[in-house]
Amino acid sequence: MKLLIVEGNNEQTRLQRGAFGIKPYHLMFQEMLRGLVPKAQTDFAFPADGASELPTAAQLEKYDGVLWTGSSLSVLDDIPDVQQQLNFASEVFKSGVPFYGSCWGMQIATVVAGGKVALSKNGLEFGISEPIDLTPLGRKSPLTSHRQKTYSALCIHYDEVAKVPENAIILASNSHSKVQAMTFDFKKGSFFGVQYHPEFNPSDMALIGLFLSEKLVKSGAFKSLEEVKEFALSLKEQKGIPPEICDYQLHTQEIMAWLKLIAGKQ
């Protein structure tokens, strides 16, 4: 299996976060895939890096799947870093290669396919998500039917899908965002994505929280910097954290289901 991982952050953001000890998102994905599909080959693409050469739709056809990471960007911003990613996502759909996206990846795919993304009226969803429930169609889908009950996941997002693309099927929802998991077809391709971050582990989330601590307090997600530190410590020590988050195999179930589906094993 040959997979392309698309990094959602630009080089400057990766360097800033790297100096704090946060792994670039494309490397988090690569590490996850090494555990899920050890024999898979992985390549990277960096559409937010202006000088980066990107494969064409024809060149993308050599891949079995494309996985798009999260990002600190907002698809609502009309800037080159965003536009370059929208353009590249369009090429992915043209290629017909199966397409998966976490958080930002789902938002990019949504906009390209004619849906809409907006700032959530419920504000920031950060850390451990509000409880997520499958829809009736989600309970039947091979992508999500493994979830036998309400679950939580690691997340960080201000924006959300406000209008789904034509023919989209919402697979999971929660009280914060109606679209927590979704699948749809567009052009020659098929897409599956989630609003949360299955690829994160609790230590990743803890570091990101500490890095963003001042913003998290300003947003009202936490009352104080000390509260952010306490939450980060609970993640690192996995105290009071739902088992479906602590167990990485359980947390990555949706991506494993997608990998099996594109490999023809479901």
Side-chain angles (χ1 to χ4, degrees), residues 115-160:
K116 290 182 180 177
V117 168
L119 192 65
S120 174
K121 293 176 183 176
N122 293 318
L124 172 68
E125 187 176 29
F126 173 83
I128 298 171
S129 71
E130 293 296 318
I132 300 169
D133 287 301
L134 297 185
T135 63
L137 290 173
R139 288 193 286 273
K140 296 177 182 178
S141 170
L143 293 163
T144 48
S145 60
H146 49 269
R147 295 284 189 183
Q148 299 298 313
K149 56 184 180 180
T150 299
Y151 64 99
S152 294
L154 297 173
C155 64
I156 173 169
H157 67 106
Y158 287 96
D159 297 340
E160 64 184 8

Side-chain angles (χ1 to χ4, degrees), residues 1-252:
M1 179 178 277
K2 192 163 187 176
L3 301 167
L4 180 68
I5 302 168
V6 184
E7 170 65 60
N9 281 320
N10 62 26
E11 185 177 22
Q12 183 182 3
T13 298
R14 299 196 301 273
L15 290 172
Q16 286 174 344
R17 291 182 169 213
F20 197 81
I22 300 169
K23 283 178 292 200
Y25 286 171
H26 66 280
L27 295 183
M28 286 187 194
F29 264 77
Q30 185 184 54
E31 194 172 299
M32 171 191 66
L33 291 169
R34 281 175 178 160
L36 297 179
V37 279
K39 294 181 180 179
Q41 290 179 266
T42 52
D43 291 335
F44 304 128
F46 302 91
D49 297 355
S52 176
E53 283 192 24
L54 299 169
T56 63
Q59 291 168 333
L60 285 166
E61 290 177 13
K62 68 181 179 183
Y63 294 103
D64 298 296
V66 172
L67 299 96
W68 209 292
T69 77
S71 176
S72 62
L73 295 166
S74 170
V75 76
L76 305 175
D77 293 335
D78 185 13
I79 58 173
D81 289 0
V82 173
Q83 191 57 52
Q84 285 154 196
Q85 296 198 60
L86 292 170
N87 293 342
F88 187 50
S90 183
E91 289 297 299
V92 174
F93 279 121
K94 282 181 195 173
S95 74
V97 176
F99 183 174
Y100 166 83
S102 284
C103 194
W104 164 258
M106 182 169 77
Q107 294 170 7
I108 281 284
T110 294
V111 172
V112 169
K116 290 182 180 177
V117 168
L119 192 65
S120 174
K121 293 176 183 176
N122 293 318
L124 172 68
E125 187 176 29
F126 173 83
I128 298 171
S129 71
E130 293 296 318
I132 300 169
D133 287 301
L134 297 185
T135 63
L137 290 173
R139 288 193 286 273
K140 296 177 182 178
S141 170
L143 293 163
T144 48
S145 60
H146 49 269
R147 295 284 189 183
Q148 299 298 313
K149 56 184 180 180
T150 299
Y151 64 99
S152 294
L154 297 173
C155 64
I156 173 169
H157 67 106
Y158 287 96
D159 297 340
E160 64 184 8
V161 175
K163 179 186 174 187
V164 300
E166 189 178 340
N167 82 50
I169 298 170
I170 299 173
L171 302 172
S173 301
N174 73 357
S175 60
H176 187 281
S177 298
K178 183 181 177 182
V179 183
Q180 285 287 346
M182 169 175 67
T183 185
F184 61 83
D185 295 329
F186 181 64
K187 292 183 178 175
K188 290 168 63 180
S190 62
F191 176 80
F192 168 58
V194 299
Q195 186 53 71
Y196 44 95
H197 288 274
E199 71 281 2
F200 284 1
N201 63 46
S203 293
D204 295 327
M205 191 83 254
L207 265 178
I208 291 167
L210 291 171
F211 177 74
L212 297 172
S213 56
E214 290 186 6
K215 288 184 179 179
L216 292 172
V217 173
K218 283 181 183 176
S219 73
F222 293 86
K223 293 176 183 175
S224 65
L225 295 176
E226 190 58 37
E227 196 176 83
V228 179
K229 288 179 184 176
E230 288 173 7
F231 178 68
L233 186 62
S234 72
L235 284 168
K236 285 181 181 177
E237 296 181 346
Q238 299 191 6
K239 287 184 177 177
I241 308 301
E244 67 270 24
I245 290 176
C246 293
D247 185 331
Y248 197 58
Q249 194 170 357
L250 294 179
H251 198 240
T252 54

